[in-house]
Amino acid sequence: MSSIAHQPPQLVRANGIDICYEIFGDGNAEPMLLIMGLGAQMVIWDDAFCEKLAARGFRVIRFDNRDIGQSTKLSGGKRLTPFELLKLRLLKIPIDAPYKLSDMALDTISLMDALGIRSAHLVGASMGGMIAQEIAITFPERVRSLTSIMSTTGNPRVPGPTREAAALLMAPPPKTKDEYIERFAKTWKMLRVGSFPEDEALDRSRAERTFSRGLNPPGVGRQLRAILASGSRKPRLSQVKAPTLVIHGTVDPLVHPAGGKDTAASIPGAKLMMVEGMGHALPLPMWPQIIDAIDKHAHGAAAKAA
């Protein structure tokens, strides 16, 4: 993979904040933005995953969302409590948030503007899928194709996470590096569901990398508030014009598989790919089928548009 062109991480001003981004692949290739999920830095899109996509003929851009990694850290918003979540679910009381998913969608559009990208293929995982959906609704002319992975519509009728996944999401942040590394491994083992020795062997080095890039627990809380305060996209998803692929695991403990099915059912012409035995992660053994699906979908959309 050493022949893949690579631009190291750098900062650019976009939508009034600094966004840290990195590019893999040829500058003239089809642009593809990878949008990561809640509390997840851009490096959770593994280097090798990005290189494999770039080798299929894409200019792959990954970036840290606001409030995470090396992008701008914001302020405001108290830590969410289980009581506040209960109010939202039972009493339908809106949750306050310093920003919403629509602001994060505008971050992505502004990053594209800064990089001179008129339109791109969007691949979003979890919260990143929600942001990508928001872009496809609001900025249809900027989206060549949409791939929404392990995400949902915000529809309150979709079942919530498992009790174990919810507890992990609401747990207080670790206080030391050792605690963080231990929590990272425990979290991803739970999210992957089952035994994936290749990934488990990499968890420590992945945790050390994210730790060294800088943690921002209050930012994760603000991102969670953004998701909850943004409500349901389901009615507006009928407006999406971009060719859409929805990928979801059959055993996802965090975003119920019904969330993927609801996404596909809500977007006209969307294709649904349920991956047997996949949880809320992209384990190494499942890369070939996922990369093949993204590649086929994006290049198919590009060929139709040509």
Side-chain angles (χ1 to χ4, degrees):
M1 287 292 174
S2 57
S3 61
I4 297 295
H6 178 223
Q7 289 182 32
Q10 48 196 304
L11 290 175
V12 68
R13 196 75 181 164
N15 197 25
I17 61 171
D18 291 327
I19 293 179
C20 182
Y21 71 94
E22 187 172 7
I23 301 178
F24 299 82
D26 187 86
N28 296 316
E30 291 268 326
M32 176 177 283
L33 267 74
L34 305 184
I35 312 174
M36 212 356 111
L38 173 68
Q41 299 182 17
M42 67 177 181
V43 294
I44 299 298
W45 296 111
D46 273 46
D47 294 11
F49 186 89
C50 297
E51 289 167 353
K52 287 176 185 296
L53 275 174
R56 302 292 183 98
F58 298 104
R59 181 189 182 203
V60 177
I61 299 135
R62 67 180 181 185
F63 63 98
D64 287 324
N65 286 309
R66 61 167 62 197
D67 252 338
I68 205 76
Q70 297 185 344
S71 290
T72 292
K73 316 292 191 294
L74 288 97
S75 60
K78 294 177 184 174
R79 182 172 172 77
L80 266 175
T81 63
F83 177 67
E84 198 171 358
L85 287 175
L86 195 65
K87 283 199 301 183
L88 174 76
R89 188 168 281 273
L90 298 182
L91 305 176
K92 304 290 187 285
I93 296 172
I95 278 191
D96 291 328
Y99 54 81
K100 295 186 179 180
L101 293 175
S102 54
D103 298 294
M104 301 180 82
L106 196 52
D107 292 346
T108 310
I109 291 295
S110 300
L111 172 62
M112 289 169 64
D113 288 343
L115 298 178
I117 298 170
R118 181 69 202 141
S119 63
H121 302 284
L122 301 184
V123 179
S126 196
M127 180 186 74
M130 302 172 196
I131 295 167
Q133 291 169 25
E134 191 67 49
I135 295 168
I137 294 164
T138 312
F139 304 97
E141 71 286 354
R142 308 301 297 269
V143 185
R144 298 187 188 191
S145 72
L146 168 63
T147 301
S148 180
I149 306 174
M150 52 196 174
S151 194
T152 186
T153 59
N155 178 2
R157 295 190 175 195
V158 169
T162 64
R163 186 172 294 181
E164 187 186 12
L168 214 52
L169 201 63
M170 299 304 293
K175 292 186 171 67
T176 66
K177 181 178 179 179
D178 286 344
E179 275 182 40
Y180 175 77
I181 290 169
E182 185 182 340
R183 174 82 62 85
F184 185 99
K186 182 182 175 186
T187 298
W188 284 102
K189 187 170 176 60
M190 186 272 292
L191 292 176
R192 283 191 291 260
V193 185
S195 178
F196 292 92
E198 291 172 271
D199 287 278
E200 288 165 25
L202 291 172
D203 278 342
R204 184 176 186 90
S205 61
R206 287 170 172 168
E208 286 178 340
R209 186 179 190 186
T210 55
F211 188 90
S212 69
R213 295 183 80 246
L215 305 181
N216 185 31
V220 180
R222 284 188 288 273
Q223 288 185 352
L224 181 56
R225 283 182 177 276
I227 293 171
L228 297 171
S230 294
S232 177
R233 289 169 299 288
K234 185 173 175 64
R236 296 185 298 130
L237 284 169
S238 63
Q239 304 165 29
V240 172
K241 300 286 193 291
T244 299
L245 170 66
V246 177
I247 300 174
H248 213 106
T250 58
V251 292
D252 191 326
L254 190 61
V255 178
H256 195 281
K261 293 173 183 175
D262 193 47
T263 304
S266 303
I267 298 174
K271 297 172 192 164
L272 175 63
M273 174 178 160
M274 298 299 294
V275 181
E276 192 62 41
M278 185 172 104
H280 198 78
L282 301 174
L284 285 156
M286 295 177 182
W287 281 11
Q289 69 186 112
I290 291 165
I291 289 169
D292 280 349
I294 295 170
D295 173 26
K296 182 180 176 185
H297 175 63
H299 277 311
K304 280 185 183 175

